[in-house]
Amino acid sequence: MPRISLSHSGPFVVGFTGHRRVENEEKVAQVLREVIAALHRDLGGDLIGRSSVASGGDTLFAEACLAANFKWMALLPFPEAEFKKDFNDADWKRARALLDRAERIETLSETAERPGGYLHCGLATVDGADLMVALWDGKAPRGLGGTAEIVDHARLVQKPLVLISSNGLEVARERFPLE
């Protein structure tokens, strides 16, 4: 992969959006670790992950960041007690363990508005990131606040994107200027 150049000082904030339903967690986790390693190599310097901690892709991204010894910032669409209602017990235990390791937890709203809270969380992830990683099936939006809408927003604001096909796990980059 060619080295990319983004005029930047300080750590790169890598945002993430992805589907909750993941076919093969082990393979997706491996691809995420490879993408994070490649970004670290290509960008040089420190990376900080930024995502929510929903089941599926978000959880795998947070785990990959922490496994690579990068800081990770968690965004919650609403207070933790309300957010927890969207998880089964095992998934919440996994998410809670990640939240315990987060560099910072940012709660974006005090009200539990679904699905608007998820949309706001995704948009805030993009807006607070230097570049985005997305685990996406490439399909049109199927509901408010989903991965497709967040990818569309990242494209609209011209964020560099690393797209991981949730079907075949192919990796593609958009808007990565070459040195």
Side-chain angles (χ1 to χ4, degrees), residues 1-6 12 34-45 47 70 131 162 171 173 176-179:
M1 251 185 266
R3 206 167 153 76
I4 63 170
S5 173
L6 298 172
F12 285 92
E34 290 168 2
V35 164
I36 289 169
L39 288 171
H40 182 247
R41 181 186 64 246
D42 292 347
L43 296 171
L47 301 179
F70 295 125
L131 60 98
V162 177
V171 178
R173 289 183 174 193
F176 275 77
L178 300 177
E179 285 189 330

Side-chain angles (χ1 to χ4, degrees), residues 123-141:
L123 298 176
T125 300
V126 172
D127 294 342
D130 297 307
L131 60 98
M132 286 294 296
V133 174
L135 177 66
W136 179 43
D137 61 12
K139 295 181 180 175

Side-chain angles (χ1 to χ4, degrees), residues 6-133:
L6 298 172
S7 41
H8 194 281
S9 62
F12 285 92
V13 178
V14 179
F16 178 83
T17 186
H19 297 300
R20 287 185 171 198
R21 288 183 181 84
V22 175
E23 289 292 318
N24 186 328
E25 278 201 11
E26 285 181 30
K27 284 185 180 177
V28 171
Q30 179 60 38
V31 170
L32 283 168
R33 287 190 298 271
E34 290 168 2
V35 164
I36 289 169
L39 288 171
H40 182 247
R41 181 186 64 246
D42 292 347
L43 296 171
D46 292 330
L47 301 179
I48 297 176
R50 178 180 173 87
S51 70
S52 188
V53 68
S55 300
D58 288 353
T59 300
L60 295 171
F61 174 77
E63 289 171 345
C65 288
L66 294 169
N69 295 314
F70 295 125
K71 294 176 182 175
W72 169 69
M73 297 181 292
L75 280 75
L76 302 182
F78 20 81
E80 187 177 315
E82 185 63 30
F83 188 51
K84 179 181 178 179
K85 294 176 183 177
D86 293 344
F87 292 78
N88 65 39
D89 289 341
D91 287 346
W92 178 249
K93 184 177 180 181
R94 188 174 177 184
R96 181 66 252 165
L98 289 168
L99 291 170
D100 288 341
R101 296 180 62 197
E103 179 72 13
R104 185 174 79 226
I105 301 171
E106 196 175 320
T107 302
L108 300 176
S109 175
E110 291 304 313
T111 61
E113 182 201 338
R114 290 173 182 82
Y118 288 109
L119 174 61
H120 178 64
C121 191
L123 298 176
T125 300
V126 172
D127 294 342
D130 297 307
L131 60 98
M132 286 294 296
V133 174

Side-chain angles (χ1 to χ4, degrees), residues 136-157:
W136 179 43
D137 61 12
K139 295 181 180 175
R142 293 184 292 277
L144 190 65
T147 303
E149 271 193 305
I150 306 312
V151 169
D152 286 347
H153 178 67
R155 286 175 167 156
L156 180 70
V157 298

